[in-house]
Amino acid sequence: MMNITPKQYLENLVNNKQCYDLDNGKVALYHKDIEHMAAYFDISVDVDIRTADGKLKFAICKATAIDNSNNRKYSSLGEAHPDTNGFEYFVAVAEKRAVDRAILKALHLHGDVLSFEELDLRNKPKKQSVQKTTEQPKVKTLTEEVEQKILKSKD
């Protein structure tokens, strides 16, 4: 059935550049790749929205990953709030965070591997807008021009 370990599967993703290398030596995987790992290693997941508030754009979800080879359960919470993410769809982000965290726990990869959904995209560089200046170029008076020529000629 399985011919590689979760760490070997992860190494394949890293070698194929299917992840983000983070500054702290960890990697971040896309949600779809974490779900593919869950399917490959026969891990199923159940998700429950614990709370969601559209006004505050806040959500908490709980996911339980079940390793079907030994029936062990691994639970984790996922949260999303404007202070913790730059994503627009906060409930989906909370769900993905919970699912990915639970799957990574079941695969014994949590702590070393993060989900892309964990990354804070608020500091991502934004397009800089070009502002037109209304300031007119300074026109030198005749006196300023004469003074400048006299000072240059002294050198």
Side-chain angles (χ1 to χ4, degrees):
M1 185 176 147
M2 292 179 284
N3 51 4
I4 62 172
T5 67
K7 286 199 185 261
Q8 291 169 324
Y9 193 108
L10 174 63
E11 286 173 14
N12 287 336
L13 292 174
V14 170
N15 291 338
N16 291 328
K17 306 285 187 214
Q18 290 177 261
C19 64
Y20 285 90
D21 289 319
L22 305 177
D23 294 337
N24 58 6
K26 298 179 182 185
V27 296
L29 298 177
Y30 287 112
H31 175 71
K32 69 177 180 77
D33 291 321
I34 294 173
E35 285 190 327
H36 288 164
M37 288 180 77
Y40 183 85
F41 291 103
D42 197 22
I43 294 171
S44 56
V45 183
D46 184 38
V47 186
D48 180 35
I49 297 173
R50 293 299 178 137
T51 187
D53 186 324
K55 233 178 194 180
L56 295 174
K57 295 189 176 197
F58 174 74
I60 297 175
C61 294
K62 180 181 180 184
T64 302
I66 303 165
D67 183 340
N68 294 314
S69 68
N70 58 21
N71 287 327
R72 287 193 180 147
K73 295 181 181 182
Y74 302 85
S75 296
S76 192
L77 296 174
E79 74 293 326
H81 181 274
D83 291 343
T84 64
N85 76 88
F87 298 99
E88 205 157 314
Y89 305 102
F90 61 97
V91 177
V93 171
E95 180 263 339
K96 287 178 180 180
R97 285 179 174 177
V99 167
D100 292 351
R101 289 172 184 171
I103 292 169
L104 291 171
K105 281 182 179 180
L107 295 171
H108 305 289
L109 295 174
H110 66 290
D112 297 324
V113 179
L114 301 172
S115 168
F116 173 78
E117 273 34 275
E118 303 287 349
L119 303 180
D120 186 352
L121 301 179
R122 291 171 297 164
N123 297 329
K124 195 175 176 183
K126 295 179 181 175
K127 288 184 180 178
Q128 294 181 346
S129 60
V130 177
Q131 295 180 353
K132 293 182 181 178
T133 60
T134 56
E135 190 178 308
Q136 297 292 325
K138 185 178 178 184
V139 178
K140 293 181 184 178
T141 64
L142 183 58
T143 308
E144 289 173 328
E145 274 189 36
V146 171
E147 284 176 349
Q148 201 171 30
K149 285 183 181 181
I150 292 170
L151 290 172
K152 283 184 180 179
S153 67
K154 286 184 178 179
D155 291 335

